[in-house]
Amino acid sequence: MSIRVQEADFDLSTEIAALRQARPELGAVVAFIGLVRDINAGAAVSELMLEHYPAMTQKALESIETQAKQRWDIDEVLVIHRVGRLLPTEQIVLVAVAGAHRGPAFQACEFIMDYLKTQAPFWKKEQTPDGARWVDARSSDDAAAQRWTQDLP
Amino acid sequence: MALTVLYFARLRERLGLAQEGIALQPNLTSVGDLLNYLRARGPQWQAALGDEKVVRVAVNQDLAQNDTHLKDGDEVALFPPVTGG
């Protein structure tokens, strides 16, 4: 189990190589990367500021990983989330899941991402032509997380 | 000993406050009590904290509900719905 919150960018190949190292039993790696878009809610976005609650972030992400591991037969989870100032096209988050088979890895990756978006204490503030604004939470994210409470694997 | 209350993101900016200490009182023993106590400070607080849907609360870094009990030394964080990822 590995969780990192950092300002620096990350390299997918390097991270996956480290996750797989000396693990011949792994048959599948699923990775999701979230990116900063240059448009949101109808406005051009020139920059994002990512704030978080450090003491809680680690605890919340560990709890999400633990739930994923209890629910699916997976071996390794890596979550990297960036904070601070980010520009459009930059990478913002990586969730990688490794296991023996692809099915559980795909599902666990999506579950972790859905829970991260609704339970981990990060907040985005974006710069638009009309000034800075805090990003509003989306009800579609709540719905995405909610479906895991009904849709048992 | 008291509660340490932290404010994040939009709430911190609207209230102009990142952190404060608040003493527990006989009628201030739960998360719901704390929210009512803060809302009673004035229109600015009522406006920022009045809508249950826009305020999330964590006690000692775990998400909490209105009936979550508070004790001396707890760290209580108030923040808007999260928008990471």
Side-chain angles (χ1 to χ4, degrees), chain A residues 79-98:
Chain A
V79 177
I80 301 176
H81 203 298
R82 294 178 69 196
V83 292
R85 180 170 176 267
L86 295 170
L87 301 174
T89 75
E90 287 198 73
Q91 306 186 115
I92 180 166
V93 62
L94 168 67
V95 174
V97 178

Side-chain angles (χ1 to χ4, degrees), chain A residues 51 53 59 124-125 136, chain B residues 10 12-13 60 75 85:
Chain A
E51 173 179 336
Y53 172 15
K59 206 170 169 179
K124 290 182 184 129
K125 190 178 196 181
D136 284 323
Chain B
R10 194 195 318 247
R12 182 193 62 247
E13 288 191 354
N60 299 327
E75 178 175 288

